[in-house]
Amino acid sequence: MKRDDLSHGVTRDVARRNNRGRKAYVMKSLKSGLEIRLESRDELALAKALDLDPRGSQLRAQAMTFDLVRGEVLTALPTAKHRDSRYYTPDLSDVIDGIEHIFEVKPKRYCSQHKGLFEQVSDFCLRNGMKFRVLCKEDFTEAFLMNVNVLHQFARQCAQQLPAWAQQVSQIKNKTGHVRDVLHGLEPKNYFLLAGLLSGVLKMDLNKALIQSMNFDVCPGNGDLSMLEVHSSE
């Protein structure tokens, strides 16, 4: 697969982890405009969620490798691995409120089997001024993940039109009630809804209702984008 020349460097190429190679899932970051390559559909789904999170600013995949024994953070692997080293490459990283956050995306069963490893990685991150988080797809509702996919695709494809559509939604006097009633007179309603949600003009429960159903209540967002936050910062 051809990579664009501006993409961030990686310490592990997800498409070349064995001699035959493997499929890489690719998404374009809303914030940087650069491609991010993931190993699985779960990573892709949660990477899109992190990309929408308003607190993040530098989402990257496979950007660094930790030597858990020697205590080093590597941005490029040496040609020969040190005999006493133990390498660990996290799935994703992002800068949130000036702090590097490290994310691992794994099923719950994997997390329980590798609890000791994740505790070691968490301690390593704390010593290096970072925070470590394990994200499990099972912790998110199916509705939330489907909504994130719709929002991410819309934000990427309609970036230029979003401000104008959001401005029209902001001029609605009554922003509380069923979505079709609130957006009465605006067509297509789903476009204006997505623009309102992405700009914080409107809010809805992303964990319960599907955006595509257009059958739920909304309320004023007042600029609050916390519904798009993926994890607690604590």
Side-chain angles (χ1 to χ4, degrees):
M1 178 180 295
K2 182 179 179 181
R3 293 177 59 84
D4 66 77
D5 295 335
L6 298 177
S7 291
H8 293 297
V10 296
T11 57
R12 182 174 68 184
D13 189 338
V14 302
R16 296 185 179 279
R17 294 188 63 193
N18 55 46
N19 292 332
R20 294 178 302 164
R22 61 185 295 177
K23 180 178 180 179
Y25 296 84
V26 181
M27 74 171 224
K28 187 174 182 178
S29 172
L30 299 173
K31 298 184 178 82
S32 69
L34 302 179
E35 70 174 28
I36 297 177
R37 291 152 58 92
L38 297 312
E39 292 183 357
S40 68
R41 288 189 178 92
D42 288 356
E43 286 184 20
L44 178 63
L46 295 178
K48 287 181 178 180
L50 287 170
D51 201 32
L52 284 170
D53 193 316
R55 301 167 300 173
S57 60
Q58 297 180 35
L59 182 64
R60 298 176 62 184
Q62 318 283 351
M64 64 193 81
T65 293
F66 303 152
D67 186 333
L68 299 177
V69 174
R70 300 166 68 89
E72 299 175 346
V73 179
L74 308 173
T75 56
L77 293 179
T79 54
K81 181 179 179 180
H82 295 290
R83 180 177 297 180
D84 61 342
S85 296
R86 185 184 184 189
Y87 290 163
Y88 176 86
T89 303
D91 294 326
L92 297 160
S93 64
D94 202 356
V95 176
I96 300 173
D97 297 328
I99 298 175
E100 190 91 38
H101 283 63
I102 304 301
F103 297 99
E104 188 67 30
V105 180
K106 288 292 183 290
K108 276 187 175 296
R109 66 180 183 277
Y110 183 97
C111 297
S112 61
Q113 295 169 355
H114 297 82
K115 185 178 179 180
L117 169 63
F118 288 155
E119 289 177 349
Q120 187 178 0
V121 175
S122 181
D123 290 342
F124 177 95
C125 289
L126 286 175
R127 292 196 302 271
N128 287 273
M130 299 179 285
K131 291 186 177 181
F132 180 64
R133 297 285 185 271
V134 179
L135 300 178
C136 301
K137 187 177 178 180
E138 297 95 330
D139 290 334
F140 300 89
T141 67
E142 191 66 26
F144 177 81
L145 295 175
M146 292 178 68
N147 287 334
V148 161
N149 188 57
V150 171
L151 286 164
H152 194 275
Q153 182 177 359
F154 187 81
R156 181 171 51 83
Q157 294 179 346
C158 302
Q160 294 183 346
Q161 296 93 333
L162 279 176
W165 289 336
Q167 179 61 28
Q168 287 184 258
V169 177
S170 69
Q171 294 173 357
I172 297 173
K173 292 183 178 180
N174 182 16
K175 299 182 180 66
T176 301
H178 194 279
V179 60
R180 292 188 181 275
D181 296 332
V182 170
L183 298 176
H184 178 73
L186 295 177
E187 295 292 344
K189 288 182 173 60
N190 56 333
Y191 285 27
F192 286 97
L193 168 65
L194 291 165
L197 295 174
L198 288 166
S199 62
V201 176
L202 295 176
K203 291 180 68 174
M204 63 170 288
D205 191 339
L206 294 176
N207 293 295
K208 295 181 179 180
L210 290 175
I211 288 175
Q212 293 172 313
S213 73
M214 294 297 288
N215 184 24
F216 46 84
D217 289 340
V218 294
C219 63
N222 300 315
D224 181 11
L225 292 171
S226 58
M227 68 177 181
L228 296 176
E229 295 179 2
V230 177
H231 63 96
S232 171
S233 59
E234 296 300 325

